[in-house]
Amino acid sequence: MQKRTQYMHKMLANGYIFVSVNELETYRQVLSKVTFNRLLTAVLNGETQVAIKPKEHAALFDKLQEYNKQCQLLSRTAQLNDRGIELERYGDITAAIQVYEQNIELGFPAHHAFRRLLVLYRKQKDYANELRVCRRACRVFPKEQSYKDRYEKVKVLLAKAKASGK
């Protein structure tokens, strides 16, 4: 007991606050690694409070809101991808394109809809839309070289198509 009291005084002196285990459990997905380990240790030791920096504590609500928003975006992205795949399977390419377009508008960084749109627009020789999707992909995935390379190839195809009057 004395050891725990000394620990608490030390942490308070270092600028920490103590937060209940129950409260931190609600933020488990967004806790820093250090705080998560403290929470785990507290639970295993039967403790009811965990030391945390006030700044981290203040940011937890916003972090959890953002985490939940990203989870919802991921879920919606997966639903749209599944729908697009189904539409392609049934040969309704126009509807699949519309679904994939909705998907990329969400802005979630997932490749499937981008890659499928590039393929579908290329098959239709719709180079303007293919170029537009490439631009968007380059913004969403700035480190992905394949989209940059594709962008350059599509620019050439579009220039050739315009030169030939198509």
Side-chain angles (χ1 to χ4, degrees):
M1 185 67 156
Q2 184 180 3
K3 193 174 184 180
R4 176 73 179 156
T5 305
Q6 288 174 342
Y7 169 77
M8 290 179 78
H9 286 297
K10 176 185 163 197
M11 296 307 277
L12 288 169
N14 286 329
Y16 285 82
I17 60 172
F18 282 84
V19 178
S20 74
V21 166
N22 290 338
E23 180 183 347
L24 286 181
E25 282 286 344
T26 64
Y27 297 108
R28 186 180 328 143
Q29 299 91 332
V30 296
L31 293 176
S32 69
K33 197 178 230 180
V34 170
T35 302
F36 179 78
N37 286 336
R38 283 193 184 126
L39 173 63
L40 187 59
T41 301
V43 169
L44 292 173
N45 291 336
E47 298 166 1
T48 59
Q49 294 186 324
V50 177
I52 184 172
K53 287 281 189 181
K55 189 176 181 180
E56 182 181 358
H57 183 253
L60 287 176
F61 180 78
D62 290 337
K63 280 184 170 182
L64 186 60
Q65 294 295 98
E66 182 59 29
Y67 174 82
N68 288 335
K69 180 181 171 188
Q70 290 301 310
C71 286
Q72 288 172 343
L73 274 175
L74 173 60
S75 176
R76 182 66 179 143
T77 298
Q79 288 171 352
L80 288 170
N81 280 341
D82 290 344
R83 181 71 180 136
I85 291 166
E86 184 181 335
L87 289 166
E88 280 190 77
R89 188 176 297 129
Y90 290 115
D92 194 349
I93 302 305
T94 303
I97 287 173
Q98 289 173 346
V99 168
Y100 290 140
E101 286 285 354
Q102 288 176 15
N103 204 338
I104 68 170
E105 284 304 311
L106 292 176
F108 191 83
H111 292 277
H112 180 79
F114 286 97
R115 290 186 176 141
R116 292 307 305 151
L117 281 171
L118 293 173
V119 167
L120 296 173
Y121 284 137
R122 175 68 61 92
K123 284 181 177 179
Q124 294 178 346
K125 298 187 188 312
D126 186 349
Y127 304 126
N129 275 318
E130 187 178 353
L131 189 67
R132 178 184 53 78
V133 172
C134 278
R135 271 194 218 109
R136 174 98 174 146
C138 287
R139 285 193 305 271
V140 174
F141 306 101
K143 295 180 181 178
E144 187 71 36
Q145 188 61 40
S146 64
Y147 292 121
K148 294 172 188 175
D149 295 342
R150 179 82 175 243
Y151 178 79
E152 293 304 322
K153 289 177 185 175
V154 177
K155 278 191 342 187
V156 171
L157 288 172
L158 189 59
K160 285 180 182 178
K162 284 183 180 179
S164 69
K166 288 185 179 179

